[in-house]
Amino acid sequence: MGREGFSTLRVLMCALLVAVHFAHVNPVKALTIFDKEFADVESLLHAKQYANADTKALLLLEQALQQQHMPADMFSSLGELLQNASRFEVSKAIFNAALERYTTEGELEKMASTLLQLATSERHLSNYNTALTYVRRAMSIAHIERNDLLKAKLNLELGIIRQQQNQIEVALEPLKQALDFFRENRMSNEMSLSLLRIGDIYSLLNQASLAHTYYQDAFDSIEGSTDPRLLGTIKTRIGALLLKTGASAQATVAIKEGLELLQVTNDVGAIAEAKMLMGRALVENGETTKGRELLMEAMRFASSSGQAKLMIEGRLALAQAYMKEQDFERALAEARSGTIDARKSRDLRGQLSFLSLQLSAFVSLGEFKKALDIQSVIQQLREVLLDSENKSAIEGLQAEIELIRQSRTLEKLEESKQLALAQAEREKLQTTLVWSVSLAVMLLTFLVWSRYKQRRQTIILRREVRQQTLDLHKKNEELQAAYKTLEEVSLRDPLTGLYNRHYLESQLPGEIRRSQFSARQSPTTDKAKQDLLCLLIDIDHFKRINDDYGHIAGDKVLSSFAQVLKNVFRQTDLIIRWGGEEFLVVCRQSNREELPELAERCREMVASTPFDIGLDKPIKITCSIGFSLLPPDKKDNSDVAWERTFAVIDYALYASKLSGRNGWVGVIETLDTDFKNRTPIDEKFNFTGSRIATSFNNIASIQWPDTLDNKQ
């Protein structure tokens, strides 16, 4: 081997040693580089240099993909950063890279969470079918992993997607399921977001009162929270609802409050939406110049972030502003562009709104032929969308346009007649007479024909209006039935058919006030029909049923248990599925002395009933019960009565569980005078004394929760 061969071999050996060295150093160095580049992307986003941030993030992604040891969690962190800044296209690429890594590593739950993030990005970009595909894939994983929290988050996202697709009928159920889970697990922010989205649905259905109720519930559930983003979003939604109902001054105040809350966050998408709403409110209040500036700012952001829905809403508001200023040419240009955008997004409501603006602009500009063409397109869309209010308005406008068109035709003919007569005067008398008679005959013929056609058109229009009125009545009846069905769904538990917490919250305050009013009116008379009784019932060892026989068997037990409760209690009593295996019963117009009898009858009925779960033999179950008068202390006002009562029956139920289950413990009434032998329940709730009843040996045998804690 020559000298050149030895030199080449020496170089190759050195290169190999360097490569081996950097193979050990590279992972730590790569992580350090990633942290620095991540901070650079974050700084660019805060500075609103979005194009530079997108480029930097994509370069960082490419570098990270070349480093096979780069953790997938870093991809997810970068994707969430970009998604929070409304950079949805770039965040999709980042999340896809994370999904690929998680798939390779077999991290099922992280795969599902990443699919949820991808669905959110696609939904903001109005790619609803793709978003639904991601949600279904994630839901399959959530079922496999039995991750109820992830299921609730996916149901929330599914409801939002269906709502934005205008599929109102199917959007409410997943939102309700998500709300039930978040409420049961006391997740206030997620519960508030679910209430907010349900309010959006009722707003779309033009149910302003119900929408405002849900928005207010969403706000109340996190009042005092330190999350300005959610508080600001709720405020702007309330402002949008006020703006929709015509209260533009109140809407401006609410939107301004929401915008001030959002300004301290990094949610640029929510800020842009709030500015768009503020622009609309300012235009309605006559501050058109300032309002248009805010609308243009929101549209520029929507265009840069690819949010088609926000772009459509902004363009619609801008076109309406131009119409308000009587700048019909600009209004027409914006309406045309908006129609194209809405058509691309398959937004029928948006198309109809923009076409209606085009129709108004053409009429204002005197271009009636184009207005009639637009009206024809609107009529086709209207049949698809079944928008009754717009339908009536457009039909009236069509009749007005037809009358204007015919008037213009007659005016032109009259002008032609006068020109012909003037010319005939300069010719021979015979020619003048001939032309005059001919023109008179032609004009008379046209007038007769026009009158005949107009009369026929009027008859046809009346017939169509009559038929369409009948159709509208039928559709209104169908919509009322649909609304009633939606309301019924929102108030009942789908598994057991019993009422849910939402129904109880709407009914209970009135029942408490009626009971207390009746007691004050006749304090010394028979109280047999004045008391409200409250029982909290829990199935013993229900988790064992799910573990031993499966969740399907558990569902059968819950359904059968609900039927047992219906057999025990009266039809006038409120039977509520409180959550999981807990059931709440409120007996109206009852006597407090009946509490032990009711509890024992319920316990005995459950213990003696065989529960069929699909096996050869039915199973036996028992239940534990805590009860109290509602309220236990007559000094409690109606505002705190329910919270105090529930705390008492929950405590009593816990005592029944600790004392051996298959029994009951409760408070029949509290005493006005001090009682020497006060029980732990008196100490806990500051009762001067109380009458307690139990199915166990005696009151001394009750194992109270506080007593157990002291022993430990």
Side-chain angles (χ1 to χ4, degrees):
M1 182 181 295
R3 182 173 297 177
E4 293 181 359
F6 279 112
S7 299
T8 303
L9 182 61
R10 208 162 37 243
V11 170
L12 289 173
M13 290 296 294
C14 290
L16 181 60
L17 290 172
V18 170
V20 171
H21 171 72
F22 278 105
H24 294 286
V25 176
N26 208 29
V28 178
K29 184 178 179 181
L31 293 177
T32 304
I33 293 173
F34 183 90
D35 289 340
K36 180 181 180 303
E37 298 291 331
F38 186 95
D40 291 343
V41 173
E42 191 171 16
S43 298
L44 289 170
L45 290 173
H46 282 307
K48 297 185 179 180
Q49 298 180 19
Y50 299 119
N52 293 335
D54 290 348
T55 303
K56 191 80 172 176
L58 290 173
L59 287 173
L60 180 56
L61 172 64
E62 192 62 32
Q63 294 171 6
L65 288 173
Q66 294 174 6
Q67 303 290 336
Q68 293 299 321
H69 45 263
M70 186 70 70
D73 290 345
M74 291 188 172
F75 293 136
S76 292
S77 299
L78 181 59
E80 289 176 9
L81 176 67
L82 291 161
Q83 191 179 72
N84 290 335
S86 297
R87 311 310 298 166
F88 300 111
E89 285 290 354
V90 182
S91 71
K92 282 166 50 181
I94 307 294
F95 284 130
N96 274 312
L99 180 61
E100 186 176 347
R101 285 285 176 87
Y102 287 137
T103 304
T104 303
E105 296 167 3
E107 296 279 354
L108 287 179
E109 290 194 354
K110 291 185 177 180
M111 284 170 58
S113 297
T114 307
L115 287 167
L116 174 57
Q117 297 282 14
L118 280 166
T120 301
S121 291
E122 294 288 7
R123 187 245 303 167
H124 278 96
L125 294 170
S126 300
N127 300 327
Y128 300 121
N129 290 333
T130 306
L132 286 173
T133 300
Y134 285 133
V135 169
R136 292 188 185 105
R137 288 171 59 187
M139 190 66 79
S140 298
I141 297 174
H143 280 295
I144 292 171
E145 294 295 301
R146 295 185 178 180
N147 190 330
D148 293 334
L149 174 59
L150 183 57
K151 288 180 190 176
K153 291 180 178 179
L154 288 166
N155 274 323
L156 176 58
E157 180 64 29
L158 178 60
I160 297 172
I161 294 170
R162 291 302 191 189
Q163 170 207 332
Q164 293 188 0
Q165 283 184 303
N166 292 319
Q167 297 181 10
I168 308 302
E169 296 80 1
V170 296
L172 187 60
E173 181 58 28
L175 289 175
K176 176 186 168 294
Q177 291 179 14
L179 175 61
D180 288 343
F181 178 86
F182 295 140
R183 180 177 285 157
E184 184 176 339
N185 290 274
R186 303 181 185 276
M187 302 174 67
S188 57
N189 279 24
E190 289 79 2
M191 182 176 69
S192 176
L193 187 56
S194 302
L195 289 166
L196 176 68
R197 291 299 182 175
I198 295 175
D200 290 344
I201 289 179
Y202 283 113
S203 178
L204 283 174
L205 292 171
N206 293 321
Q207 297 288 313
S209 178
L210 271 175
H212 186 271
T213 299
Y214 277 99
Y215 287 153
Q216 192 61 49
D217 287 348
F219 188 84
D220 292 342
S221 65
I222 58 167
E223 191 172 9
S225 169
T226 57
D227 186 357
R229 176 180 175 275
L230 189 51
L231 288 169
T233 302
I234 297 171
K235 277 288 186 182
T236 55
R237 287 289 208 289
I238 293 174
L241 183 64
L242 291 169
L243 191 61
K244 187 175 182 180
T245 56
S248 56
Q250 295 175 331
T252 304
V253 174
I255 296 169
K256 183 179 179 182
E257 291 176 356
L259 184 56
E260 288 174 352
L261 287 166
L262 291 170
Q263 291 283 12
V264 301
T265 70
N266 294 324
D267 193 341
V268 290
I271 292 172
E273 185 177 350
K275 286 183 177 180
M276 187 269 292
L277 288 171
M278 179 60 77
R280 285 177 52 196
L282 290 173
V283 169
E284 288 295 323
N285 287 329
E287 300 181 51
T288 53
T289 302
K290 188 176 179 181
R292 279 194 286 105
E293 289 176 358
L294 286 174
L295 291 173
M296 293 295 292
E297 183 181 346
M299 287 174 62
R300 284 193 294 270
F301 173 81
S303 178
S304 67
S305 59
Q307 297 187 65
K309 186 174 182 295
L310 183 60
M311 188 72 180
I312 290 171
E313 292 175 355
R315 199 179 291 281
L316 179 63
L318 189 59
Q320 291 170 340
Y322 283 133
M323 286 294 293
K324 195 174 184 68
E325 294 177 314
Q326 297 187 348
D327 191 345
F328 303 119
E329 293 289 352
R330 287 189 179 180
L332 189 58
E334 291 294 339
R336 283 171 170 165
S337 300
T339 304
I340 295 171
D341 293 342
R343 189 177 296 122
K344 289 178 181 178
S345 299
R346 298 180 179 178
D347 184 355
L348 291 178
R349 291 179 185 272
Q351 291 181 54
L352 188 59
S353 299
F354 283 117
L355 287 170
S356 298
L357 281 172
Q358 287 190 51
L359 179 65
S360 299
F362 278 131
V363 171
S364 300
L365 292 169
E367 299 186 30
F368 299 107
K369 177 64 171 65
K370 294 180 180 179
L372 286 172
D373 293 339
I374 294 294
Q375 190 274 336
S376 178
V377 177
I378 289 175
Q379 199 161 7
Q380 294 174 11
L381 282 177
R382 191 174 52 207
E383 292 174 359
V384 176
L385 198 58
L386 293 175
D387 192 331
S388 59
E389 294 180 357
N390 288 344
K391 188 172 186 179
S392 300
I394 293 170
E395 285 172 353
L397 187 57
Q398 180 186 8
E400 293 177 10
I401 293 171
E402 183 63 21
L403 290 174
I404 294 171
R405 186 183 66 80
Q406 295 213 11
S407 298
R408 290 297 182 92
T409 303
L410 290 174
E411 289 174 4
K412 290 180 180 179
L413 286 171
E414 186 65 28
E415 291 173 1
S416 299
K417 174 190 172 184
Q418 292 175 0
L419 290 172
L421 289 174
Q423 184 178 359
E425 288 176 357
R426 293 190 295 268
E427 297 176 355
K428 295 181 181 180
L429 180 59
Q430 185 178 2
T431 306
T432 302
L433 291 174
V434 171
W435 276 108
S436 298
V437 171
S438 299
L439 286 172
V441 171
M442 289 175 60
L443 181 59
L444 182 60
T445 303
F446 178 79
L447 288 172
V448 172
W449 175 82
S450 178
R451 183 70 177 218
Y452 171 75
K453 291 293 291 183
Q454 185 178 358
R455 185 176 179 82
R456 283 186 59 83
Q457 184 69 18
T458 302
I459 293 172
I460 292 171
L461 283 174
R462 286 177 179 172
R463 188 180 304 149
E464 289 181 355
V465 168
R466 191 181 302 112
Q467 182 60 42
Q468 288 165 359
T469 301
L470 293 174
D471 292 342
L472 287 177
H473 283 305
K474 183 178 179 181
K475 292 298 179 185
N476 284 334
E477 291 174 358
E478 293 175 356
L479 284 174
Q480 290 296 329
Y483 295 151
K484 185 175 181 180
T485 301
L486 286 174
E487 188 66 21
E488 181 70 14
V489 167
S490 69
L491 296 177
R492 285 194 180 272
D493 173 56
L495 176 62
T496 62
L498 300 178
Y499 288 116
N500 57 23
R501 291 189 183 189
H502 183 68
Y503 178 80
L504 180 68
E505 291 165 1
S506 65
Q507 295 292 317
L508 197 56
E511 293 294 337
I512 295 173
R513 285 193 292 269
R514 279 193 291 272
S515 176
Q516 292 183 332
F517 177 78
S518 178
R520 287 194 298 269
Q521 290 298 311
S522 53
T524 59
T525 58
D526 182 22
K527 297 183 179 180
K529 298 299 181 181
Q530 295 178 2
D531 293 333
L532 277 177
L533 312 181
C534 192
L535 299 92
L536 186 60
I537 307 165
D538 184 271
I539 300 175
D540 293 332
H541 302 300
F542 183 74
K543 186 176 182 300
R544 293 182 187 174
I545 298 174
N546 281 334
D547 292 342
D548 294 344
Y549 305 108
H551 287 277
I552 294 177
D555 289 347
K556 289 182 178 179
V557 169
L558 290 173
S559 299
S560 300
F561 192 83
Q563 187 58 49
V564 171
L565 294 182
K566 291 179 182 178
N567 294 335
V568 171
F569 296 98
R570 302 171 301 182
Q571 291 184 350
T572 56
D573 297 334
L574 301 179
I575 307 176
I576 310 295
R577 185 182 178 191
W578 191 249
E581 65 272 23
E582 284 189 341
F583 296 80
L584 182 71
V585 180
V586 178
C587 301
R588 298 181 282 193
Q589 296 180 341
S590 300
N591 190 313
R592 63 192 72 183
E593 303 300 335
E594 298 175 24
L595 274 168
E597 179 186 347
L598 287 172
E600 176 59 23
R601 187 167 62 194
C602 180
R603 185 204 65 78
E604 183 180 358
M605 180 73 77
V606 171
S608 62
T609 299
F611 287 80
D612 184 7
I613 59 172
L615 300 177
D616 293 338
K617 294 182 179 180
I619 65 172
K620 292 283 189 175
I621 66 171
T622 60
C623 67
S624 298
I625 305 171
F627 60 77
S628 170
L629 184 69
L630 198 169
D633 191 339
K634 63 183 180 181
K635 293 180 288 186
D636 289 341
N637 59 46
S638 60
D639 293 332
V640 301
W642 166 238
E643 295 182 4
R644 184 90 177 271
T645 303
F646 183 78
V648 170
I649 61 174
D650 190 52
Y651 186 81
L653 174 63
Y654 194 12
S656 178
K657 291 279 188 182
L658 292 175
S659 301
R661 294 184 172 85
N662 191 22
W664 42 265
V665 175
V667 177
I668 297 178
E669 66 178 350
T670 57
L671 306 176
D672 293 333
T673 57
D674 289 337
F675 193 66
K676 294 182 180 180
N677 299 323
R678 299 180 70 195
T679 63
I681 200 169
D682 297 329
E683 298 290 342
K684 183 173 183 63
F685 295 100
N686 199 25
F687 296 150
T688 54
S690 63
R691 272 206 299 143
I692 296 174
T694 180
S695 63
F696 299 104
N697 293 334
N698 49 54
I699 295 175
S701 66
I702 299 174
Q703 185 67 62
W704 300 101
D706 295 335
T707 306
L708 183 64
D709 292 341
N710 293 335
K711 289 180 180 180
Q712 292 177 347

